[in-house]
């Protein structure tokens, strides 16, 4: 159920520029470019520089993607290697699978 | 109790009642201590008390990382212990790091991760508030949320390493599945193996019994074995140190009256001021009377006296005391006497001990009477009762309070009770009250069986109980077998012959 008009607001929390962080950034950027065209906002937050933002969103693990919009909010944890699961979590899976029923 | 060897690893005084005693000074400083326990073993209370005591007694800020219960829940639950967490939060003394899962929004795992987010939050909170104490409660929830146990272990290890580097002392709680089995679930002890405390809530003879055991403190000493503890409203965790209280109390030669001149004489001039006296007898032999005399005489002489009654009501005691010549009402009004009547079943024996100690601390009596220990015995397991006896006697001895405890024998003639088996070795004096059957009549005999540090009369004397109290009479001359519960009469010349036999 991907209505083409929905705007995405994503936050990606990372801890420093590690390999794990880079993997997550690359994968997420690629997904956004491929499926969301220009209807997304992606904020990359390094918790080492902004511990207060980590506190605000109660971040436990990194990397963590928070899909703030569209609702419902979802949390995706890990370096995003399992791309299928990422798509499910973002409600962008081509088969119409979505995070809510997964 | 502290020796030079203990100084190698300094300890931080926790302020948790009784715990510092059995841990020989508190928790190892700048280390992580694992607190393992089954569900309902008061892990969260212990962790919270550790932080609360730090704030209240040492003005040390603390950080509470909650993995399971939401912060709001803990705030509410801890109010019952008199800990105003919200105010402490406002003053920067207590900081919650809420890492509890959001219900209905389980995160999706998509690959490798670390706990970088948590770590920076913890570090930020510690440096912002200059925290010295950290609690992590409880790890089971993290393992439940993240299926990759190996990663979770690795990341928790990183957090404990960071805490150590920051020099904070931390407790980390974790679940156990059984009271006597593996230390903790999820192999947690593998990464925090240095210091382990186990909280138990075991079922013992149909009664729940909480104990705390310091399993190990690497590189430093602690008392071994399980110590009973209780979770007390308005106070938190209270560990009962029992015999860990050293036998350091001094010895005194000052005598105090038993309230009966003749009995004082038999004891060589009264009981010692710092002694524990056991009065044992069957029902109706005058145990409560003995305790009343002891307390009444003390209070009349201006000593502060505490009467702990577990069998009779306040009115009953007061009425009987009046007839024996002690005006309890006036003495109470003067403030020299405090009579506390509690039904044994209202709380567990551990809680009784704690409230008795509180009463003693508050009232600061010179004398205490406990009537009777046997009434308390019925609400506890054997082990729990033994610990109670040790805990009580060591406490009063340390404070040099003359204490009389009474115990009921199960049989009318002769006999001992379980109570006595537990307490007789730790009492200084024992007075036996026994029935003596003579020529179709029940009479009563008293003897001083033991009087530590003093000579005493060895005879068994007859006594009568009447309206004025207890009157001691002459020695039973022609009866043998009173204490074995099989009294029988012997002819006077036979008694003389036997007496002479030992004189030669």
């Amino acid at each position: 159920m991907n209505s083409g008009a929905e705007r995405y607001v994503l936050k990606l929390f990372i801890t420093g520029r590690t390999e794990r962080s880079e993997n997550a950034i690359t994968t997420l950027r690629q997904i956004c470019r491929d499926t969301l065209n220009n209807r997304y906002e992606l904020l990359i937050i390094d918790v080492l520089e902004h511990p207060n933002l980590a506190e605000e969103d109660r971040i436990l693990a990194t990397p963590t993607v928070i899909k703030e919009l569209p609702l419902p909010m979802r949390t995706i944890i890990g370096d995003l290697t399992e791309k299928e699961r990422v798509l499910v979590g973002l409600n962008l899976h081509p088969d119409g699978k979505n995070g809510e029923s997964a | 109790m502290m020796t030079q060897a203990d100084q190698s690893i300094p300890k931080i005084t926790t302020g948790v009642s009784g715990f510092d005693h059995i841990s020989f000074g508190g928790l190892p400083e700048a280390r992580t201590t694992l607190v393992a326990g089954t569900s309902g073993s008061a892990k969260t209370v212990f962790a919270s008390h550790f932080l609360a005591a730090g704030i209240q007694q040492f003005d040390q800020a603390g950080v509470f990382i909650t993995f399971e219960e939401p912060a709001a829940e803990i705030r509410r639950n801890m109010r019952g212990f008199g800990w105003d967490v919200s105010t402490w939060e406002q003053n920067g003394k207590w900081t919650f790091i809420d890492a509890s899962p959001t219900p209905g929004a389980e995160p999706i795992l998509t690959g490798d991760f670390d706990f970088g987010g948590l770590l920076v939050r913890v570090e930020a909170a510690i440096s912002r508030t200059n925290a010295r104490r950290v609690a992590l409660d409880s790890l089971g929830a993290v393992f439940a949320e993240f299926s990759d146990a190996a990663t979770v272990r690795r990341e928790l290890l990183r957090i404990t390493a960071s805490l150590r580097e920051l020099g904070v002392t931390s407790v980390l709680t974790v679940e156990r599945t059984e009271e006597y089995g593996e230390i903790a679930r999820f192999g947690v002890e593998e990464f925090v193996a240095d210091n382990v405390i186990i909280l138990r809530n075991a079922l013992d003879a149909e009664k729940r019994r909480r104990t705390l055991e310091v399993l190990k403190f690497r590189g430093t000493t602690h008392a071994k074995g399980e110590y009973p503890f209780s979770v007390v409203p308005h106070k938190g965790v209270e560990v009962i140190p029992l015999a860990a209280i050293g036998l350091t109390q001094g010895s005194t030669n000052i005598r105090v009256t038993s309230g009966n001149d003749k009995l004082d004489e038999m004891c060589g001039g009264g009981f010692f001021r710092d002694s524990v006296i056991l009065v044992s007898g069957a029902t109706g032999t005058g145990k409560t009377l003995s305790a009343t005399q002891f307390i009444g005489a003390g209070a009349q002489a201006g000593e502060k006296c505490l009467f702990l009654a577990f069998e009779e009501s306040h009115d009953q005691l007061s009425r009987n005391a009046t007839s024996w010549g002690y005006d309890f009402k006036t003495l109470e009004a003067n403030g020299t006497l405090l009579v506390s009547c509690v039904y044994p079943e209202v709380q567990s024996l551990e809680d009784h001990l704690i409230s008795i100690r509180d009463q003693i601390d508050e009232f600061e009596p010179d004398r205490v009477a406990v009537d009777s220990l046997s009434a308390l015995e019925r609400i506890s397991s054997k082990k729990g009762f033994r610990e109670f006896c040790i805990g009580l006697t060591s406490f009063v001895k340390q404070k040099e309070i003359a204490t009389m405890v009474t115990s009921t024998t199960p049989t009318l003639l002769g006999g001992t009770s379980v109570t006595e088996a537990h307490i007789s070795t730790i009492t200084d004096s024992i007075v036996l009250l026994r029935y003596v059957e003579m020529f179709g009549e029940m009479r009563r005999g008293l003897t001083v069986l033991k009087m530590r540090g003093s000579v005493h009369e060895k005879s068994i004397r007859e006594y009568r109980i009447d309206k004025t109290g207890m009157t001691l009479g002459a020695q039973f001359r022609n009866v043998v077998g009173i204490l074995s519960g099989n009294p029988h009469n012997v002819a006077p010349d036979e008694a003389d012959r036997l007496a002479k036999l030992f004189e030669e």
Side-chain angles (χ1 to χ4, degrees):
Chain A
M1 247 268 302
N2 300 324
S3 80
E6 275 180 315
R7 263 180 60 78
Y8 271 74
V9 176
L10 304 174
K11 284 186 193 167
L12 171 61
F13 290 87
I14 52 163
T15 307
R17 291 281 163 164
T18 61
E19 199 187 321
R20 207 176 285 137
S21 304
E22 297 301 338
N23 283 347
I25 293 169
T26 314
T27 310
L28 191 59
R29 279 204 171 124
Q30 194 191 340
I31 289 172
C32 287
R33 265 199 308 272
D34 292 355
T35 57
L36 292 171
N37 301 318
N38 287 323
R39 48 188 187 90
Y40 72 91
E41 253 173 64
L42 172 59
L43 204 59
I44 295 170
I45 300 159
D46 186 343
V47 296
L48 294 178
E49 287 162 30
H50 304 284
N52 55 320
L53 295 180
E55 186 58 53
E56 231 166 70
D57 278 308
R58 290 178 45 188
I59 300 304
L60 180 61
T62 52
T64 286
V65 180
I66 293 188
K67 171 172 77 82
E68 289 204 327
L69 284 174
L71 293 170
M73 229 165 100
R74 296 270 345 175
T75 306
I76 299 161
I77 287 173
D79 65 1
L80 311 182
T81 311
E82 294 172 56
K83 210 168 156 184
E84 285 275 297
R85 293 175 65 87
V86 182
L87 291 171
V88 169
L90 292 175
N91 203 4
L92 289 172
H93 199 275
D95 299 345
K97 284 189 208 164
N98 63 50
E100 280 70 54
S101 63
Chain B
M1 208 149 294
M2 291 277 283
T3 62
Q4 280 307 107
D6 291 330
Q7 304 305 321
S8 52
I9 292 179
K11 284 178 184 159
I12 170 173
T13 313
T14 60
V16 176
S17 182
F19 177 77
D20 293 325
H21 209 104
I22 66 158
S23 57
F24 294 176
L27 291 175
E29 195 170 14
R31 302 288 169 101
T32 301
T33 301
L34 189 69
V35 177
T38 51
S39 137
S41 60
K43 297 184 293 293
T44 306
V45 184
F46 185 88
S48 305
H49 196 166
F50 171 62
L51 293 199
I55 297 167
Q56 289 179 313
Q57 297 172 35
F58 308 101
D59 196 35
Q60 293 174 336
V63 173
F64 195 107
I65 303 152
T66 173
F67 292 112
E68 200 166 3
E69 284 180 88
E73 197 107 326
I74 295 172
R75 243 178 243 129
R76 195 167 49 239
N77 293 343
M78 295 311 141
R79 224 174 280 156
F81 298 111
W83 303 326
D84 187 357
V85 176
S86 316
T87 305
W88 289 337
E89 283 180 273
Q90 282 160 26
N91 300 338
K93 291 295 168 196
W94 180 301
T95 310
F96 268 117
I97 299 216
D98 198 335
S100 63
T102 317
E106 284 69 37
I108 297 162
L109 272 183
T110 64
D112 197 17
F113 62 91
D114 55 44
F115 282 167
L118 180 63
L119 190 58
V120 299
R121 288 165 70 190
V122 174
E123 288 174 346
I126 291 171
S127 68
R128 192 180 68 244
T129 64
N130 194 22
R132 307 303 307 139
R133 302 179 180 215
V134 169
L136 293 97
D137 178 71
S138 111
L139 296 191
V142 202
F143 284 94
E145 191 169 348
F146 300 95
S147 51
D148 184 358
T151 304
V152 174
R153 269 198 296 272
R154 182 195 72 203
E155 289 305 309
L156 289 174
L157 175 61
R158 228 159 55 100
I159 288 173
T160 57
S162 156
L163 292 175
R164 179 188 284 230
E165 223 161 274
L166 291 168
V168 299
T169 309
S170 54
V171 294
L172 206 152
T173 72
V174 68
E175 289 74 15
R176 310 180 74 205
T177 44
E178 47 191 319
E179 297 297 356
Y180 295 91
E182 59 169 357
I183 292 174
R185 289 179 71 188
F186 315 109
V188 172
E189 75 276 12
E190 286 166 26
F191 70 88
V192 272
D194 283 358
N195 312 301
V196 179
I197 292 171
I198 294 181
L199 302 180
R200 293 192 175 90
N201 188 22
L203 207 52
D204 182 6
E206 294 187 4
K207 308 225 169 53
R208 282 278 169 202
R209 187 167 165 272
R210 292 187 187 280
T211 62
L212 181 149
E213 178 186 9
V214 179
L215 190 68
K216 59 175 164 179
F217 273 175
R218 184 156 292 170
T220 173
T221 53
H222 57 86
K224 311 282 190 295
E226 293 180 39
Y227 289 85
F229 77 95
S230 189
V231 178
V232 188
H234 310 297
K235 292 179 94 172
V237 172
E238 186 140 356
V239 184
I240 301 164
L242 300 178
I245 297 167
L247 280 167
T248 50
Q249 60 267 12
S251 192
T252 174
N253 286 321
I254 302 167
R255 305 263 188 165
V256 297
T257 178
S258 66
N260 185 310
D261 296 344
K262 195 73 198 163
L263 180 57
D264 286 349
E265 214 172 280
M266 288 178 76
C267 296
F271 301 129
F272 286 114
R273 199 189 63 194
D274 60 349
S275 65
V276 176
I277 306 117
L278 171 69
V279 176
S280 148
T283 175
T285 50
K287 294 185 301 297
T288 304
L289 168 58
S290 301
T292 306
Q293 281 182 338
F294 175 70
I295 288 296
Q300 278 179 347
E303 291 179 37
K304 289 186 91 176
C305 298
L306 174 63
F307 198 128
L308 300 162
F310 297 98
E311 286 183 338
E312 287 176 60
S313 73
H314 194 276
D315 288 347
Q316 252 174 321
L317 278 172
S318 189
R319 195 186 56 219
N320 292 340
T322 307
S323 74
W324 293 323
Y326 303 105
D327 186 358
F328 271 19
K329 282 208 177 77
T330 308
L331 293 168
E332 280 185 287
N334 291 346
T336 48
L337 175 67
L338 180 65
V339 180
S340 160
C341 300
V342 187
Y343 201 58
E345 274 77 8
V346 295
Q347 56 187 357
S348 77
L349 203 51
E350 286 80 17
D351 291 333
H352 273 299
L353 181 54
I354 290 165
S355 55
I356 289 172
R357 285 174 18 167
D358 287 348
Q359 277 179 305
I360 289 174
D361 276 336
E362 204 174 299
F363 188 62
E364 298 182 324
D366 302 299
R367 294 183 181 212
V368 173
V370 180
D371 185 48
S372 71
L373 276 184
S374 311
L376 290 170
E377 188 184 343
R378 68 170 185 257
I379 60 164
S380 167
S381 66
K382 266 187 186 173
K383 204 171 176 182
F385 183 68
R386 190 170 59 231
E387 285 168 351
F388 171 83
C389 289
I390 297 168
L392 177 68
T393 50
S394 55
F395 184 72
V396 294
K397 293 195 97 181
Q398 202 176 33
K399 301 219 165 229
E400 296 196 1
I401 300 169
T403 303
M404 180 179 280
V405 296
T406 67
S407 150
T408 311
T409 51
T411 52
L412 282 184
L413 294 170
T416 53
S417 66
V418 186
T419 314
E420 285 159 44
H422 288 326
I423 200 165
S424 58
T425 56
I426 42 182
T427 54
D428 302 289
S429 306
I430 299 178
V431 176
L432 298 184
L433 308 174
R434 292 290 183 264
Y435 282 112
V436 185
E437 190 190 333
M438 272 178 83
F439 305 114
E441 210 186 329
M442 271 302 204
R443 294 159 76 168
R444 299 185 178 94
L446 176 151
T447 189
V448 178
L449 190 68
K450 169 175 159 185
M451 184 75 200
R452 194 172 277 166
S454 169
V455 290
H456 62 91
E457 198 179 305
K458 312 290 190 292
S459 60
I460 303 174
R461 285 183 176 273
E462 179 167 14
Y463 68 95
R464 281 177 292 108
I465 296 174
D466 53 29
K467 264 182 266 172
T468 59
M470 183 185 281
T471 313
L472 276 156
Q475 184 182 356
F476 279 101
R477 287 274 299 152
N478 304 325
V479 190
V480 296
I482 294 172
L483 295 184
S484 60
N486 184 25
H488 58 275
N489 301 289
V490 291
D493 55 343
E494 173 71 359
D496 285 340
R497 196 185 64 82
L498 281 172
K500 278 187 189 139
L501 200 67
F502 292 104
E503 280 170 15
E504 282 158 20

